[in-house]
Amino acid sequence: MNLTTLLTICCRKVEQERRIPFEITADADPFYSESNIRYLKNKLDALNAGTLPLEEHDLIEVD
C-alpha cells in the first residue's frame, strides 16, 4: 500500500466516524521527568542564591 492510498483510507475513515481512527501516542520526554525538574529547580535555586559554582568552557568552533 502506498502513502496516497493509506492517507485516502484514513481520511475517509475520519469523515465517516468523525474521529481519528487510531490512537496517537509518544514516549514521555525525559526532560520533563520529576527527577530532572527537581534537579533543575535545585540548580536554579543555587544560582539565585549565588552558591552555584560556575565554570568557564572553551568555545568549540565548527567549520
Side-chain angles (χ1 to χ4, degrees):
M1 177 182 309
N2 64 27
L3 183 59
T4 302
T5 302
L6 175 65
L7 289 175
T8 301
I9 291 170
C10 285
C11 288
R12 286 181 180 164
K13 196 76 169 163
V14 167
E15 184 179 27
Q16 290 170 355
E17 297 184 9
R18 310 292 285 166
R19 67 178 189 88
I20 298 174
F22 47 85
E23 184 177 335
I24 299 173
T25 60
D27 293 335
D29 187 343
F31 181 83
Y32 297 102
S33 68
E34 284 186 38
S35 62
N36 195 47
I37 296 298
R38 192 170 40 254
Y39 172 82
L40 293 172
K41 184 182 180 319
N42 289 339
K43 290 293 184 181
L44 182 60
D45 289 345
L47 178 66
N48 289 333
T51 59
L52 182 67
L54 301 176
E55 300 174 12
E56 186 173 322
H57 296 277
D58 293 331
L59 293 177
I60 299 173
E61 296 202 21
V62 179
D63 294 329

